[in-house]
Amino acid sequence: MSTQPTASSTQYLSFIIAGEEYALGILQVKEIIEYDTVTRIPGAPPWVRGVFNLRGSVVPVVDLAVKLGMAPSHLTKWSCIVVVEVRMGGERIVLGLLSDAIGQVIELEPGDVMPPPAFGTPVHVDYLLGMGRMGTGRKFVLLLDIDKVLSDQEVLAASALSAPVVASSEPAAPPTGSSSSSSV
């Protein structure tokens, strides 16, 4: 028995949001990070949870539950950030996706992926690549097209939060009204 994927199969990483199992193509996933310190940014869109430090880079964290029209995610000990690359024009932008828990790596043959129904899914049909049938059971996993979940304008808004922090080489100005001032 071989565990290697066949040439026509595709691997996905599944994760849980609001009790439903979703999946992304494994090639879009850069890494999975335990949810730790996320800094909220005033004025950020409501679906941006904040930013975190990924080895010196500022990476925005998208609360997929909010973006998909659900209540904000509640943090638990299983909460984690799925770091992905999304396409915008010809560029690849790194974003973190907040998920309630990580599922598993699943492998689906083309015949295991069904088109999404026109209605009845918890998310907009345009956000889905399809419905992945899990094994021989009746369970489906929703296959997200992350490049469509966030519009170019939304990716721009999120990536604007990730502008590099440049340390100033100028000394900080003394506070006004300082008692150490020598002017008389």
Side-chain angles (χ1 to χ4, degrees), residues 78-168:
W78 296 286
S79 296
C80 57
I81 298 169
V82 180
V83 179
V84 298
E85 285 185 339
V86 295
R87 279 184 293 190
M88 191 185 78
E91 288 187 55
R92 307 289 297 173
I93 308 288
V94 176
L95 295 175
L97 305 176
L98 177 60
S99 70
D100 296 338
I102 292 296
Q104 59 187 326
V105 174
I106 56 176
E107 185 177 323
L108 298 173
E109 300 291 331
D112 296 332
V113 178
M114 308 296 166
F119 63 94
T121 61
V123 299
H124 195 279
V125 174
D126 290 342
Y127 297 165
L128 298 175
L129 291 171
M131 310 279 288
R133 185 179 13 203
M134 302 280 287
T136 58
R138 297 180 179 178
K139 184 179 177 185
F140 283 99
V141 62
L142 301 169
L143 305 176
L144 286 176
D145 184 346
I146 196 64
D147 292 328
K148 291 185 179 172
V149 170
L150 296 171
S151 69
D152 285 353
Q153 291 80 20
E154 291 169 330
V155 172
L156 269 176
S159 64
L161 301 173
S162 63
V165 177
V166 178
S168 175

Side-chain angles (χ1 to χ4, degrees), residues 40-50 61-73 98 150 154 157-158 161:
R40 292 191 180 266
I41 304 295
W47 43 268
V48 173
R49 190 73 171 219
V61 177
V62 173
D63 188 338
L64 268 181
V66 175
K67 181 63 188 126
L68 298 177
M70 297 178 257
S73 297
L98 177 60
L150 296 171
E154 291 169 330
L161 301 173

